[in-house]
Amino acid sequence: MTPRSKRILGKSIVVTIIAIVATFGLSFTARIALQMPIDWLSWVECTFIPILIGMPVGAYIFAQSETIQDTCDKLEKSYAELKEAHDRFTFVTSHDPMTGLLSRVEFIPRMDRKRDEGECDTLLLIDPDHFSSINDKHGHSKGDETLVRIAKALVYTTRPGDSIGRLGGEEFGVLLRDVRKEQAITIAENIRRHIEGGPWVKGQQDGVRVTVSIGGAEIPSGADAEDVLRAAGRCLFDAKQRGRNLVSFTYQVARLQNIAGRKT
């Protein structure tokens, strides 16, 4: 006998016993009140009628209850599996599979968050210097390893509330929440020095030195994400032109003043 059958039988027996006791109580009380005799037929009726009726009815009801419970359990399990699949799908679509950072489609909308008057975020664009030479000398697997290590360095050198994304290829973005240019420069320099001093491409006779160039731009209230990206991109290009392994905010002030002016 299966556990399910045992549960149904046990519950049916309990209900039947209760029905027998109740029938005896009601029948004998009524007979005494009406001064009717209590004979052997009364005992038979009070015993077998609840068994003949109560057992089948109880078994049917409890069987249906077990079926409903099994269905609910299956639905709950299916819902949990569906939610887990949805969470995995959401993570895959919003994160870069190699580094685990935010994807471009998830990172850019975060730049458009509503800011209070006078509140300002800062965008950093980080790009490895001479990255193609790593792939050429050491292979694409070492290039991927380098990107993963840069991603870890960005997570290590930023705050929990900041957003970090891989914007495409070897370019990374960091959105520093409620941080202005002066503090952002300090953070960017810390990122640059941390990456420059890190161990890279182990196990190679001609180890490669990895550095990054960083361009930054403030994001005042009302600024457009694409305009900020272009401003930070110009600063990144300036850092590359001036020798790489540099942080540049050269164009950000004038550029964003013009942006804010067009918005008002």
Side-chain angles (χ1 to χ4, degrees):
M1 184 178 291
T2 64
R4 182 176 185 271
S5 299
K6 290 180 180 179
R7 287 195 301 271
I8 295 172
L9 180 60
K11 292 177 181 178
S12 300
I13 291 173
V14 171
V15 170
T16 301
I17 293 172
I18 294 173
I20 292 172
V21 173
T23 303
F24 269 105
L26 292 173
S27 178
F28 282 23
T29 300
R31 286 176 181 274
I32 293 171
L34 296 173
Q35 296 182 347
M36 294 175 64
I38 300 175
D39 52 14
W40 67 271
L41 185 60
S42 301
W43 289 88
V44 171
E45 289 176 347
C46 291
T47 303
F48 287 100
I49 289 177
I51 293 175
L52 294 175
I53 296 175
M55 279 291 287
V57 172
Y60 175 78
I61 292 174
F62 290 124
Q64 294 301 310
S65 175
E66 288 285 334
T67 301
I68 293 172
Q69 184 61 50
D70 290 343
T71 302
C72 290
D73 292 342
K74 290 177 181 178
L75 286 174
E76 185 176 351
K77 182 179 179 181
S78 297
Y79 174 78
E81 291 174 350
L82 182 62
K83 185 177 184 301
E84 183 181 354
H86 177 268
D87 292 342
R88 286 198 303 267
F89 177 76
T90 301
F91 183 86
V92 168
T93 55
S94 61
H95 289 74
D96 172 57
M98 185 173 71
T99 62
L101 301 179
L102 296 174
S103 64
R104 184 182 182 89
V105 295
E106 180 69 17
F107 182 86
I108 300 302
R110 298 196 179 196
M111 295 172 57
D112 286 326
R113 76 176 183 90
K114 186 176 180 180
R115 299 173 181 85
D116 296 331
E117 187 67 27
E119 189 178 12
C120 181
D121 296 341
T122 298
L123 170 67
L124 301 179
L125 292 183
I126 300 100
D127 191 271
D129 299 324
H130 303 296
F131 182 73
S132 59
S133 65
I134 298 177
N135 288 327
D136 294 340
K137 290 183 179 180
H138 306 285
H140 288 278
S141 62
K142 289 298 181 181
D144 291 344
E145 180 184 331
T146 298
L147 294 179
V148 170
R149 292 191 178 187
I150 290 176
K152 291 180 179 179
L154 295 177
V155 172
Y156 178 79
T157 51
T158 53
R159 305 167 303 172
D162 298 329
S163 297
I164 311 171
R166 184 184 178 193
L167 305 187
E170 64 268 21
E171 186 176 76
F172 297 87
V174 174
L175 181 62
L176 301 173
R177 188 181 178 94
D178 199 19
V179 170
R180 289 192 171 274
K181 174 184 175 181
E182 292 74 17
Q183 184 182 355
I185 291 175
T186 301
I187 295 173
E189 284 290 351
N190 187 34
I191 292 172
R192 184 191 65 78
R193 288 193 296 268
H194 183 82
I195 293 175
E196 182 183 23
W200 304 97
V201 194
K202 294 180 178 179
Q204 300 287 338
Q205 292 182 350
D206 50 341
V208 64
R209 174 174 175 264
V210 176
T211 61
V212 294
S213 298
I214 303 176
E218 287 185 341
I219 314 176
S221 178
D224 180 76
E226 292 301 324
D227 289 335
V228 175
L229 279 169
R230 281 192 289 270
R234 287 188 64 188
C235 293
L236 177 60
F237 180 76
D238 175 70
K240 296 282 188 181
Q241 290 292 102
R242 291 194 289 119
R244 297 178 173 80
N245 194 25
L246 295 172
V247 173
S248 174
F249 277 72
T250 305
Y251 299 101
Q252 86 87 25
V253 175
R255 176 60 173 170
L256 289 180
Q257 284 179 344
N258 292 335
I259 293 171
R262 294 203 305 272
K263 298 291 180 182
T264 57

